[in-house]
Amino acid sequence: MSYIQRINKAFKSGFIKNVLILSSGALIGQIIVVLASPLLTRLYSVESFGYLSVFTSISTIFALLSTGRYELAIVLPKSNSKALKLIKLILCIGLVISLLYLILITLLKDVIRINDHTKFLNDNSAYILPIYVFFISLLSILTYWNQRKKTYKRITTANAVHSIVNTIISLILGFILIENGMIIGLLGSVIFTVIFYLLHDKRLIKKVLNIKGIKSVAKEYESFPQYMILSDLSLNTNQQLTPILFSSFYDSEIVGHYSLANRMLRLPNIIVTGSIANVFRNDAIDELRIKNNCKGLYVSTFKKLFLLSFPIYLTIFIVSPFIFKFIFGENWGITGEFGRIISTYLFVEFMANPLNTLFYVRNQQKKLMIIQTINLIMSIIMIAVGAFLFKDPRISLVLYSGNAILFNLLLLYSSYKLSYIK
């Protein structure tokens, strides 16, 4: 059977139809991002991209704590009433944690005046972070609620709205020379997307005003904050680790080059893997409830992921050093070199991430936490070795990528075993 025939066979299913619906919104949004990127690189400095990367990294890590990771459980209960109690619980946690972040940033920035090597606290946009984190928690709640209801078309539109609004705001503020316009764009797009969801589900607001019953679901799903916070904190810290450490070990231009390469090359993951993960998780839950086994679904999903990722990242590996310089200008040549290195581990990550949802569907959050924590520690060591022994960001990135490949292969093996072990 030829490669094209295998692709055609793999993609003739209801599973793929749902994936395509979810992916289309992200695809539209990311096409706009790609088209706007040459303009953004001319409106904003390399340092601005570096600061954006640090802001995004810190906010992503902080956002994990703002929900207790209870949003992952929204899709699991059989009854909607229990899922709504989880939403109420997350709202309370998100509000309290965001206020604590605001107090913490004020103390560090204005009272203690800590010497911040990442330069995050040197700018007043640091005050945007608590607001951004709170709305990110709201967006996460609404996304998982709609995934539970399988309103995939609404999620698709929301994803497109998010990317489009972010790009428009960033371009407008760039034209009027506001240096942190891309960060303001991030906040504006999240708020706009939250409003979009609520306008399509106005009754949800009334249903979550009463916080009665949140203690019972907090106890029932306590394994999520107990294990998934550290697990996902390790995973996201690992993914966001490079710009934070690079900003300490190297200059801001290096962070900017890495930021653009990572932003562009993660587009296939952003567009496709999140959608596959959501559909795979919902189908796996259904299969496990019936027969406590989803091996067939796992294998077929893995094949689809491989057929998609191999040609994409092989092409990226070959053309990356040339395409970045051609599209973004001569100043971005190093970005292409970074892109070639990044593509090696993104290929494996593309296949592993959607299938990792089996860990919490199978209530194996502790196992995932252990793997991700060890991975984080090893990643820090790899980047530090490149910085201190070789003083070369390329070597730091090569070592980091090699470590990421090994751990993603381990995750694939572990999630495969969970697909059939009772």
Side-chain angles (χ1 to χ4, degrees), residues 85-113:
K85 289 177 182 178
L86 282 166
I87 291 176
K88 299 173 190 177
L89 173 64
I90 300 165
L91 280 172
C92 293
I93 296 172
L95 182 60
V96 172
I97 295 295
S98 297
L99 288 172
L100 289 175
Y101 287 158
L102 179 59
I103 295 170
L104 176 63
I105 289 172
T106 303
L107 286 174
L108 293 176
K109 180 174 171 60
D110 298 324
V111 180
I112 302 175
R113 297 187 178 181

Side-chain angles (χ1 to χ4, degrees), residues 198-372:
L198 292 177
L199 287 175
H200 285 81
D201 198 352
K202 296 176 183 177
R203 291 179 297 176
L204 182 62
I205 300 174
K206 296 179 181 179
K207 292 177 182 177
V208 299
L209 290 178
N210 184 355
I211 63 172
K212 184 178 179 181
I214 63 174
K215 288 185 178 179
S216 61
V217 291
K219 180 67 176 176
E220 182 176 351
Y221 295 97
E222 64 181 358
S223 62
F224 283 87
Q226 192 174 15
Y227 299 121
M228 292 308 294
I229 285 180
L230 183 56
S231 175
D232 287 347
L233 190 62
S234 299
L235 172 63
N236 282 275
T237 301
N238 199 358
Q239 291 178 346
Q240 307 297 332
L241 184 69
T242 309
I244 294 174
L245 289 182
F246 271 33
S247 65
S248 298
F249 295 146
Y250 306 105
D251 59 45
S252 58
E253 284 199 12
I254 292 295
V255 183
H257 286 299
Y258 169 80
S259 173
L260 182 63
N262 188 57
R263 182 181 183 181
M264 291 294 102
L265 299 192
R266 279 195 176 274
L267 290 180
N269 290 39
I270 294 170
I271 293 168
V272 179
T273 58
S275 304
I276 292 178
N278 294 331
V279 178
F280 170 74
R281 181 199 59 236
N282 290 346
D283 289 354
I285 290 172
D286 292 340
E287 286 204 10
L288 290 170
R289 282 174 179 167
I290 297 170
K291 55 185 179 182
N292 202 29
N293 183 302
C294 62
K295 183 178 178 180
L297 175 65
Y298 184 99
V299 173
S300 66
T301 304
F302 174 80
K303 289 179 180 178
K304 295 178 180 74
L305 288 164
F306 179 82
L307 290 170
L308 274 172
S309 62
F310 181 74
I312 291 173
Y313 285 108
L314 177 62
T315 304
I316 289 173
F317 182 83
I318 295 171
V319 306
S320 182
F322 315 103
I323 200 72
F324 275 94
K325 189 182 294 186
F326 176 76
I327 295 176
F328 301 111
E330 291 294 326
N331 292 336
W332 298 89
I334 298 174
T335 310
E337 297 177 31
F338 285 2
R340 172 170 279 178
I341 300 169
I342 291 170
S343 67
T344 57
Y345 76 82
L346 287 180
F347 163 61
V348 188
E349 184 182 289
F350 186 101
M351 296 181 288
N353 277 354
L355 301 171
N356 287 343
T357 56
L358 268 185
F359 282 96
Y360 62 83
V361 171
R362 282 288 205 176
N363 200 28
Q364 293 294 316
Q365 296 94 329
K366 184 176 181 180
K367 185 175 183 178
L368 181 61
M369 177 195 71
I370 293 171
I371 295 174
Q372 299 289 17

Side-chain angles (χ1 to χ4, degrees), residues 131 135 162 186-196:
I131 305 170
F135 277 96
H162 184 273
L186 281 177
L187 177 61
S189 62
V190 172
I191 293 174
F192 201 94
T193 310
V194 167
I195 293 172
F196 169 83

Side-chain angles (χ1 to χ4, degrees), residues 122-184:
N122 295 353
D123 195 275
N124 286 331
S125 60
Y127 292 118
I128 294 176
L129 186 138
I131 305 170
Y132 180 66
V133 165
F134 176 69
F135 277 96
I136 281 288
S137 67
L138 290 181
L139 182 57
S140 182
I141 291 169
L142 293 167
T143 302
Y144 276 93
W145 173 249
N146 280 273
Q147 286 173 10
R148 175 184 176 83
K149 298 195 299 180
K150 297 186 178 180
T151 53
Y152 295 134
K153 290 184 179 179
R154 185 181 300 169
I155 297 171
T156 294
T157 306
N159 288 337
V161 166
H162 184 273
S163 296
I164 292 168
V165 172
N166 184 12
T167 302
I168 290 172
I169 294 175
S170 297
L171 286 173
I172 291 173
L173 296 182
F175 276 116
I176 60 177
L177 303 179
I178 295 179
E179 192 68 16
N180 292 322
M182 290 187 289
I183 291 174
I184 299 172

